[in-house]
């Protein structure tokens, strides 16, 4: 009986250890699951941060593109302005020439009288 009792005690102790091991394995699986969830959350946060960074870059790029467009328009307007100034000077010179020709005609008419 004593030997059986000792054997029973050993089995009970072994059973207790197996239950603890089983519990530790369950806890380990739960911790693995939680770690994977945290890793996924971290990846999601990283993706969101990258998304925000890209959005900011896109907005900045848009602003620069708009500014570039305005500068091109301004450059074009300045070119047109220079052309108009040139044309105005040419017209002014033509007007002066016409005035001189009219004055010349007037003086010829006076001289003939």
């Amino acid at each position: 009986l004593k030997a059986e009792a000792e054997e029973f005690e050993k089995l009970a102790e072994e059973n207790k250890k197996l239950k603890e091991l089983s519990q530790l394995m369950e806890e380990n699986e739960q911790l693995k699951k939680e770690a994977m969830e945290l890793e996924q959350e971290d990846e999601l946060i990283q993706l969101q941060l990258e998304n925000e960074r890209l959005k900011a870059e896109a907005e900045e790029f848009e602003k620069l593109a708009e500014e570039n467009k305005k500068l091109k328009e301004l450059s074009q307007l300045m070119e047109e302005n220079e052309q108009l100034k040139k044309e105005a000077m040419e017209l002014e010179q033509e007007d002066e020439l016409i005035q001189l020709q009219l004055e010349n005609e007037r003086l010829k008419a006076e001289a003939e009288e």
Side-chain angles (χ1 to χ4, degrees):
L1 284 176
K2 215 178 196 185
E4 280 183 16
E6 284 176 3
E7 185 64 29
F8 184 77
E9 226 176 89
K10 277 184 187 176
L11 289 172
E13 190 62 35
E14 199 173 304
N15 193 31
K16 182 180 172 186
K17 286 181 182 175
L18 285 173
K19 282 183 180 176
E20 288 173 359
L21 180 60
S22 175
Q23 189 176 351
L24 287 172
M25 287 172 70
E26 283 179 22
E27 287 176 17
N28 189 33
E29 285 303 310
Q30 183 61 33
L31 288 172
K32 280 182 185 177
K33 185 178 172 184
E34 288 174 14
M36 280 180 23
E37 288 172 358
L38 288 172
E39 196 174 302
Q40 287 175 346
E41 282 180 30
D42 185 56
E43 287 175 10
L44 180 61
I45 290 169
Q46 293 302 320
L47 288 171
Q48 287 171 336
L49 289 173
E50 179 69 5
N51 193 29
E52 290 300 314
R53 185 185 68 76
L54 290 173
K55 277 184 185 175
E57 280 184 18
E59 286 175 9
E60 186 63 25
F61 183 76
E62 247 179 67
K63 283 181 188 174
L64 290 173
E66 189 63 34
E67 197 173 309
N68 192 33
K69 182 180 171 187
K70 287 179 181 176
L71 287 172
K72 282 183 180 176
E73 289 173 358
L74 180 61
S75 175
Q76 190 176 352
L77 287 172
M78 288 172 69
E79 284 179 23
E80 288 175 17
N81 190 32
E82 285 303 311
Q83 183 61 33
L84 288 172
K85 281 183 183 177
K86 185 178 172 185
E87 290 174 15
M89 281 184 11
E90 288 172 0
L91 287 172
E92 198 174 300
Q93 288 173 349
E94 283 180 29
D95 186 54
E96 287 176 9
L97 181 60
I98 291 169
Q99 292 300 321
L100 287 172
Q101 287 172 338
L102 288 173
E103 181 67 13
N104 193 24
E105 291 296 317
R106 188 185 64 76
L107 290 173
K108 276 185 186 177
E110 276 182 19
E112 286 176 2
E113 287 179 8

